[in-house]
Amino acid sequence: MRLVFLAFAFLLVPVMAATQEVRTPSHCIALADQIDGARYIQRASHNVEVAPETVRIHYIAHASFLLRTAGGLNMVTDFTGFVGNVPMIPDVITMNHAHETHWTAFPDPAIPHVLPGWGEEFGQGIDHRVDLGEVLVRNVSTDIRSQWSGVEENGNSIFIFEVAGLCIGHLGHLHHEPSAEQYAAIGRLDVVMAAVDGGMTVDLPTMMRIISRLKSSIVIPMHWFGEFTLDAFLTGMRDEFQVVEVGGPSLDVSVDRLPARPTIMVLRPEWLREEGE
């Protein structure tokens, strides 16, 4: 009887394992090879079904993006408490407190994973490593440095999402070029959201140098104040990066759609809203 029970239990193991969400391994901490036959990213609406091994990126506003997975997980960066007129409770929110446009002191208590980019004590920093099966969310702490020489060590975080074989990084309200140790902790990013205001965060030459070193396949500008600011960044990067005006707020990204040449994808921010509104 015992042998029969053990045999039955053994047969259950692969069935149970098959029901668990499995994350496709990423290459954040390794150099990615060239991908043959890569295609451009597809424009997409934020609230339709996401294809397998794909991430939908929707630029909400300022530095807030919705990242949506094929498994239905919704993650919002630099969450301020409002994403639009949709009844959505994100599964994960990340925040940075350099300015009130990057965080809220009163996130909805129904949000399962609230990830501040700073520690409970001034200058303490924080370490996040949230494994949701389909997605791993982690951070690298950086300093907040004001133009008046004030410094809050480890007050900002670069958040990294490892999902669908991709490494997607959000630089947050970055105030300085990462150190060698921080670059190593960040790893190789396929997609990076970068603040390109040139004043409130790092200056444009520094941000351009950071982006060049990260060698991401896709760069999404954020935190820009008008076309003049955005154009200054694009002009400075055109020799090294192709520039694509997406013409909307959303993209679908997958490993097999990464562009062969590093590309800046310009998204136009738009609050989330129900389809047809």
Side-chain angles (χ1 to χ4, degrees), residues 16-40:
M16 293 174 64
T19 63
Q20 297 178 349
E21 289 283 355
V22 178
R23 181 173 63 255
T24 301
S26 65
H27 49 246
C28 287
I29 312 300
L31 291 177
D33 294 328
Q34 286 282 346
I35 300 173
D36 294 329
R39 296 172 293 158
Y40 281 109

Side-chain angles (χ1 to χ4, degrees), residues 68-260:
R68 187 173 185 179
T69 71
L73 290 175
N74 292 305
M75 302 164 286
V76 177
T77 66
D78 280 27
F79 181 75
T80 63
F82 181 74
V83 297
N85 65 344
V86 293
M88 183 187 73
I89 301 295
D91 298 285
V92 179
I93 63 169
T94 67
M95 299 187 293
N96 276 302
H97 71 167
H99 299 284
E100 63 182 8
T101 50
H102 297 260
W103 73 295
T104 175
F106 305 101
D108 191 321
I111 299 172
H113 302 282
V114 177
L115 309 182
W118 64 95
E120 293 183 1
E121 297 182 10
F122 186 88
Q124 183 182 48
I126 196 166
D127 290 316
H128 294 294
R129 190 175 180 85
V130 179
D131 193 337
L132 301 179
E134 189 182 15
V135 181
L136 173 68
V137 186
R138 59 186 178 88
N139 75 306
V140 176
S141 289
T142 62
D143 298 346
I144 292 176
R145 301 177 186 176
S146 76
Q147 57 184 315
W148 299 281
S149 300
V151 176
E152 180 186 350
E153 294 183 358
N154 300 316
N156 177 75
S157 278
I158 294 169
F159 281 95
I160 298 153
F161 304 82
E162 300 186 28
V163 52
L166 295 163
C167 301
I168 301 174
H170 186 283
L171 298 185
H173 209 276
L174 189 61
H175 287 213
H176 61 92
E177 183 167 6
S179 65
E181 292 77 14
Q182 289 166 331
Y183 272 123
I186 294 166
R188 168 67 163 80
L189 300 178
D190 296 296
V191 181
V192 62
M193 295 87 148
V196 300
D197 57 277
M200 299 292 288
T201 57
V202 297
D203 58 88
L204 278 183
T206 300
M207 181 55 75
M208 292 174 185
R209 186 167 62 248
I210 292 168
I211 290 172
S212 296
R213 176 159 177 174
L214 289 173
K215 300 185 182 301
S216 300
S217 296
I218 300 171
V219 177
I220 302 177
M222 65 173 184
H223 206 272
W224 40 273
F225 301 96
E227 296 297 321
F228 179 82
T229 307
L230 177 61
D231 288 345
F233 169 73
L234 297 179
T235 299
M237 299 300 293
R238 283 186 188 275
D239 288 344
E240 188 175 351
F241 285 77
Q242 183 173 355
V243 176
V244 172
E245 180 70 55
V246 176
S250 300
L251 300 169
D252 273 0
V253 184
S254 61
V255 169
D256 66 343
R257 292 194 185 113
L258 292 175

Side-chain angles (χ1 to χ4, degrees), residues 43-55:
R43 289 183 55 185
S45 174
H46 81 274
N47 58 351
V48 297
E49 186 176 345
V50 180
E53 296 300 307
T54 299
V55 180

